[in-house]
Amino acid sequence: QAAFRSNLAPLLELVGTGKESLSFMKKRIRHLAQQWLRAARRLEQKLKGQQGDQKHILIHIGFLTEESGDVFSPRVLKGGPLGEMVQWADILAALFLLGHSLKVTVSLKELQSNLGVPPGRGNCPLTNPLPFDLIYTDYHGLQQMKQHMGLSFKKYRCRVRVIDTFGTEPAYNHEEYATLRGFRTNWGYWNLHPSQFMTMFPHTPDNSFMGFVSEELNQTERQRIKSNKVGSMAVVYGKEASIWKGKEKFLAILNKYMEIHGTVYYETQRPPEVPAFVKNHGLLPQHEFQQLLRKAKLFIGFGFPYEGPAPLEAIANGCVFLQARFNPPHSSLNHEFFRGKPTSREVSSQHPYAEDFIGKPHVWTVDYNNSEEFEAAIKTILRTQVDPYLPYEYTCEGMLERIHAYIQHQDFCTMPSPPPPAKAQSPAMQSPPSPLALSPNATHLVWSPSALRDPHAWPPADSLQVWLSEGRHSCTETCRRRGLVCEPTFFRFLNKKEVFLQLSITCDSTEYEMNHLYPAVAENVHECYLQKEPLLFSCAGHNTKYRRLCPCRDYREGQVALCRDCL
Ligand code: U2F
C-alpha cells in the first residue's frame, strides 16, 4: 500500500546538488511544502484508504544531464526557461507525497547504475529484471534509455512516462505512419501509447495532462490581496530582454494608463529593449515574483514565451491577463519555435489554455495589430474587478488527484480486453433508430452503460457519447463544443461498421486503413473508413474530406483529465 507522506524534507535529500536548476527546484518544493501537505491530507480523506499499491519509480530528468548538453541549468539565473523545472519540481513533490518509492537521476551514469546496465557495456539487454514499475523521463532521457538498454528497452517501454511540454500527436508517434505520411520529426516516432506522453497543459486529449501547480490563497490572503491591489500597475510577461524587442508601440499605449513593471534579467545595465519608463526589478526569485503579481492589476503578454506557468500564477494572484491573439494561429507549419515539434496543434494565442479554459474576465485575448482594440481592452480592464482564480486542476490537490488516478489506472503493459461484440450492444442497437439527418445537432449517440460493462475499463465506458465531426473540426474540437472532452481510449468501441449504421450513415464501401483521422466517413462519396492501427486513434487532426467519429466523455469540474466517475 502506498501511504501518504507528511514531510517533504526527505525528498530534498533525493534530489542532487551542484546545478542551479536543482537548487531552483528544491527552493520551490520547500516554499510550497505546507500547501502540498494540506492538499495531501485532503486527498487522503477523500480516497478513504483506497490509495492503491506503492510503486517503485525512477525519475530521470534527461534535459538536465550533461550528456544532453544541459542548456537550461546555466540560464536559470539569467532569464532562461523555468517552466520545465517548475513542472519537474511539482511532479517530484506529488509522487513523493502519494507515498511511492522514488529514485531521482540527472546523469547518464546514475541512470545506468539504477537500470542495472552492466558497467562498461552499452546497448545490451539488462541482465536482471527492471527494478522499477514506472519511469518518468523526457525525450532526452528516452533516447538515453534506448541507447543503453538494448532490447530491454522494447520490453519495458510500456512502463515509461514521457514529460513532454507541448505534446506528441499520434500521427507523429507511429513510426511507419509518420515516415510514410510526412509526420516524421526530430522528436516523434517512438511507437509509445500516446497517453504515455504527459503535457504541461491539456493540449490534446491524446496525451495525458500532467500539469503543475500554482500558489494557492486562503480567504485572508484573498482579502488582503484585494485591498492591496494597485489599480494602475501592470507587469510585463517576459524575463528575457529579447521578448521586449519591437514592442515600443504597445508599451507607449500602456504607459498612458498604467505604471509598467518588468522582471527582465540584466547584468549591469538596463537592457536597451526595456524603455526608461518601465520599472525593471531584474529577474526575481520565484516567491518575490508572486508578491509583485499580488500587487499588480494587469499581467500583459507580448507573444512569447508560449504556454508557460506565469499567466496562471498571475490570474491566481488576482491579475487580469492580457494577451495577443494569433491570426493565423502559430504551429509547426508556420513558426520557427514549433517547427519540428511532434504536433500540428494550432496555437491561437500566447496561452490557449488561459484563453479557452479561463477566459473573461480574467483573460483578454485581443488583436494587437489593431491598436484601438488593444487600447480599448486596457481601458475596460482598468474598470473591471476580478477575484483571484485558480482552476482546480492546477491546485496541489488537483494535481495529486490526477497523478494518483493515472498511477492506479493507466496500464500500457497489458493490452485492453477486446470490446464486447457489436451485436445487441445496447437497446438502441436492437431497434434501429429513426434516420438521423447529418446535421451537427442530430449526429450523436449516447451509449447504454450496460453495453460496455467492463470492470477494467478506465475511464469507465458509460461516460461515452459518440459525435460526428464536421469536416473542419478535429475530435478534440467536436467534443469541446459540446462541453465534453475527446477520450481516445473509447475509439476502440466505435471503430465498427455498426456505428455508421447507428448514425444512419450510408456506406457504399467500408475499408480498414491506417489513417489518424479514422474512423470517418467521406460523405459525398459514401465511403466509410475504419482504423486498422489502434496506436493511430487520435483526437487531433481534421480534413475537410472527412467527418470523423468522435468518442467524447464528461469530465469533473475543473479537472478535465478525469471523467465524473473516474476516481
Ligand atoms: C515557458 O517557460 P518560461 O520559463 O519562459 O515560463 P514562464 O511562464 O515565464 O514562467 C516560468 C516560471 O518563472 C517564474 C514564474 C514561473 O513559474 O514564477 N519567474 C521567476 O521565478 N522570476 C521572475 O522574475 C519571473 C518569473 C514554458 F513553461 C516552457 O515550457 C517553454 O519552453 C517556454 C518557451 O515557450 O516557455
Side-chain angles (χ1 to χ4, degrees):
Q1 264 293 97
F4 275 96
R5 293 210 171 83
S6 55
N7 180 9
L8 275 167
L11 171 64
L12 299 172
E13 303 292 312
L14 296 178
V15 181
T17 50
K19 283 178 189 283
E20 282 304 338
S21 45
L22 298 176
S23 311
F24 175 88
M25 285 159 56
K26 285 190 191 176
K27 257 185 230 152
R28 178 172 172 86
I29 295 171
R30 243 183 251 120
H31 183 69
L32 293 176
Q34 288 314 312
Q35 178 176 318
W36 275 117
L37 293 172
R38 279 194 297 274
R41 277 198 295 274
R42 283 197 298 269
L43 184 64
E44 187 174 17
Q45 282 163 6
K46 200 162 160 183
L47 294 179
K48 299 191 185 94
Q50 305 283 305
Q51 271 144 250
D53 298 336
Q54 187 193 43
K55 306 283 184 194
H56 290 274
I57 301 180
L58 174 67
I59 297 162
H60 177 62
I61 313 179
F63 79 103
L64 295 183
T65 62
E66 296 303 324
E67 292 77 8
S68 76
D70 187 14
V71 289
F72 280 57
S73 300
R75 296 177 62 208
V76 166
L77 299 176
K78 298 190 169 183
L82 297 174
E84 282 74 5
M85 278 155 269
V86 163
Q87 193 184 26
W88 277 106
D90 295 351
I91 293 170
L92 284 165
L95 293 173
F96 187 76
L97 284 176
L98 288 170
H100 301 293
S101 148
L102 309 187
K103 276 265 185 278
V104 186
T105 59
V106 289
S107 77
L108 186 57
K109 213 166 134 208
E110 293 168 297
L111 172 71
Q112 287 175 310
S113 100
N114 277 287
L115 292 176
V117 174
R121 288 173 61 196
N123 212 10
C124 291
L126 305 181
T127 37
N128 294 317
L130 183 72
F132 298 103
D133 304 305
L134 287 168
I135 301 178
Y136 287 78
T137 190
D138 53 16
Y139 266 124
H140 295 283
L142 200 59
Q143 186 65 46
Q144 292 168 348
M145 283 166 45
K146 187 177 175 195
Q147 262 169 17
H148 295 275
M149 286 169 75
L151 290 175
S152 302
F153 179 74
K154 216 170 174 180
K155 177 169 171 196
Y156 291 121
R157 68 181 171 187
C158 58
R159 300 192 193 179
V160 173
R161 306 291 181 266
V162 184
I163 304 303
D164 170 18
T165 307
F166 297 98
T168 298
E169 290 173 1
Y172 295 80
N173 169 59
H174 189 277
E175 184 172 16
E176 186 192 340
Y177 187 71
T179 311
L180 284 172
R181 305 289 289 268
F183 290 106
R184 217 176 153 107
T185 64
N186 292 341
W187 302 103
Y189 59 87
W190 285 88
N191 290 322
L192 296 182
H193 190 293
S195 305
Q196 287 176 264
F197 296 100
M198 303 190 130
T199 55
M200 194 142 174
F201 288 93
H203 295 312
T204 167
D206 295 310
N207 300 147
S208 301
F209 159 49
M210 168 57 80
F212 57 93
V213 304
S214 176
E215 263 186 52
E216 291 161 50
L217 305 170
N218 61 29
Q219 214 40 48
T220 328
E221 285 163 335
R222 288 170 78 91
Q223 279 311 325
R224 195 178 318 133
I225 286 181
K226 273 175 92 172
S227 47
N228 290 348
K229 278 272 170 209
V230 180
S232 59
M233 176 174 163
V235 175
V236 173
Y237 184 11
K239 40 193 158 45
E240 241 174 11
S242 59
I243 292 167
W244 294 59
K245 209 167 161 204
K247 306 297 182 242
E248 298 80 6
K249 190 173 90 186
F250 306 115
L251 290 165
I253 297 176
L254 183 60
N255 191 41
K256 290 202 302 196
Y257 303 95
M258 303 188 84
E259 182 184 286
I260 308 177
H261 293 243
T263 63
V264 187
Y265 167 74
Y266 65 94
E267 255 154 39
T268 48
Q269 280 171 356
R270 166 184 293 273
E273 295 87 347
V274 180
F277 56 74
V278 173
K279 182 163 175 20
N280 185 23
H281 301 259
L283 184 73
L284 293 176
Q286 207 174 25
H287 64 277
E288 288 182 33
F289 178 61
Q290 308 294 319
Q291 297 304 321
L292 188 71
L293 293 174
R294 287 182 182 197
K295 280 204 254 153
K297 166 91 184 169
L298 175 69
F299 190 59
I300 177 167
F302 287 133
F304 195 82
Y306 295 106
E307 311 187 306
L312 286 198
E313 295 168 357
I315 297 162
N317 282 302
C319 299
V320 170
F321 176 50
L322 173 62
Q323 62 164 350
R325 169 166 296 120
F326 298 151
N327 192 11
H330 297 183
S331 75
S332 52
L333 300 178
N334 67 7
H335 246 261
E336 206 38 52
F337 181 83
F338 289 103
R339 207 177 301 280
K341 295 202 172 19
T343 169
S344 326
R345 193 163 58 91
E346 300 202 316
V347 179
S348 54
S349 59
Q350 185 171 0
H351 209 294
Y353 178 87
E355 182 186 358
D356 296 333
F357 285 69
I358 303 180
K360 280 181 184 160
H362 306 277
V363 180
W364 292 66
T365 306
V366 308
D367 177 5
Y368 279 23
N369 292 322
N370 180 340
S371 310
E372 276 140 40
E373 193 181 330
F374 177 73
E375 190 160 352
I378 293 169
K379 286 202 235 167
T380 319
I381 290 167
L382 281 170
R383 291 193 304 268
T384 312
Q385 285 295 325
V386 292
D387 283 330
Y389 174 66
L390 181 64
Y392 177 72
E393 55 206 0
Y394 283 95
T395 64
C396 292
E397 189 183 329
M399 183 162 179
L400 285 168
E401 179 183 274
R402 188 167 63 246
I403 299 192
H404 162 77
Y406 289 154
I407 291 183
Q408 298 311 323
H409 297 288
Q410 284 185 332
D411 175 4
F412 305 109
C413 295
T414 11
M415 282 294 120
S417 52
K423 245 192 332 180
Q425 272 192 332
S426 69
M429 288 259 177
Q430 289 157 12
S431 49
S434 53
L436 298 171
L438 288 186
S439 77
N441 292 333
T443 51
H444 107 281
L445 285 171
V446 181
W447 290 55
S448 149
S450 60
L452 301 167
R453 202 170 286 142
D454 171 358
H456 304 296
W458 193 85
D462 50 2
S463 55
L464 169 62
Q465 291 186 26
V466 186
W467 284 88
L468 194 62
S469 80
E470 289 176 49
R472 64 200 154 91
H473 290 153
S474 63
C475 284
T476 307
E477 182 61 18
T478 302
C479 299
R480 200 178 70 82
R481 287 176 171 244
R482 269 113 202 155
L484 301 166
V485 63
C486 175
E487 178 49 68
T489 54
F490 292 163
F491 269 114
R492 64 194 175 106
F493 297 125
L494 45 127
N495 194 39
K496 298 176 183 150
K497 257 181 164 177
E498 295 84 0
V499 179
F500 290 114
L501 188 73
Q502 279 287 291
L503 288 163
S504 302
I505 296 168
T506 316
C507 301
D508 290 348
S509 65
T510 308
E511 306 281 344
Y512 272 92
E513 281 177 24
M514 248 183 20
N515 186 319
H516 70 290
L517 303 176
Y518 296 169
V521 51
E523 241 182 331
N524 49 354
V525 285
H526 302 296
E527 283 168 4
C528 297
Y529 298 96
L530 294 169
Q531 181 60 260
K532 201 167 136 192
E533 167 53 90
L535 273 189
L536 280 174
F537 283 137
S538 172
C539 294
H542 59 90
N543 183 321
T544 45
K545 204 173 136 193
Y546 303 113
R547 296 187 74 180
R548 306 186 52 195
L549 293 190
C550 300
C552 309
R553 66 156 165 83
D554 56 32
Y555 56 88
R556 297 168 81 85
E557 208 186 320
Q559 181 75 288
V560 72
L562 302 180
C563 71
R564 286 200 198 118
D565 296 327
C566 268
L567 270 188

